[in-house]
Amino acid sequence: MTNPELSPRKTPRQDRSRDLVEAILEATRRVLVSEGFEAVTMARVAKVAGVSSGSLYQYFPSVESLLVVLYQRMRGREIDTFEALLTSTQLLPLRQAVETLLFGLSTLINEQRPLAS
């Protein structure tokens, strides 16, 4: 990313820091799903994550940066899941491979549906 407002301020290096960033991103996801986009504020995410606002701002300069990183992680997981689906169907008969892919894709879409609401 080239826009500093959308980039994380720093990359966590220690396990404790990585756990903190994961808790922040999970809190962002939970607020987004349960309360909607308008409710995603730095103060609300910090409260749900159980961290201070200072800890949050240490890693993320804005709500937008939180959402960009969350989106990138979700897309990465979706791509990994899809690639695993493709690999698992390579030796299957065509009909079974198509059914497996369609089922896997519908599951993936349904898992992400709450974020799209």
Side-chain angles (χ1 to χ4, degrees):
M1 278 179 267
T2 57
N3 185 336
E5 290 182 25
L6 299 180
S7 300
R9 284 206 164 117
K10 67 180 189 177
T11 302
R13 305 227 184 275
Q14 299 176 344
D15 288 343
R16 183 177 50 135
S17 300
R18 283 190 289 272
D19 291 345
L20 173 66
V21 168
E22 289 303 317
I24 291 168
L25 292 171
E26 175 57 21
T28 304
R29 188 195 66 76
R30 288 192 344 240
V31 171
L32 188 58
V33 168
S34 65
E35 301 174 37
F37 177 75
E38 296 298 323
V40 181
T41 64
M42 296 298 265
R44 183 70 184 128
V45 170
K47 183 175 181 177
V48 171
V51 302
S52 70
S53 292
S55 294
L56 180 60
Y57 279 103
Q58 184 177 3
Y59 290 96
F60 299 97
S62 65
V63 167
E64 292 80 10
S65 67
L66 280 168
L67 294 172
V68 166
V69 172
L70 180 62
Y71 172 81
Q72 290 171 333
R73 292 223 176 156
M74 289 172 50
R75 287 296 159 241
R77 289 181 185 141
E78 288 175 353
I79 290 168
D80 291 346
T81 300
F82 185 70
E83 287 174 350
L85 270 171
L86 284 175
T87 300
S88 73
T89 60
Q90 287 180 347
L91 300 176
L92 296 176
L94 181 59
R95 182 176 180 86
Q96 189 178 358
V98 170
E99 288 173 356
T100 300
L101 282 172
L102 289 175
F103 179 77
L105 289 173
S106 68
T107 300
L108 191 59
I109 289 167
N110 286 330
E111 287 172 355
Q112 300 306 325
R113 182 164 282 139
L115 290 173
S117 303

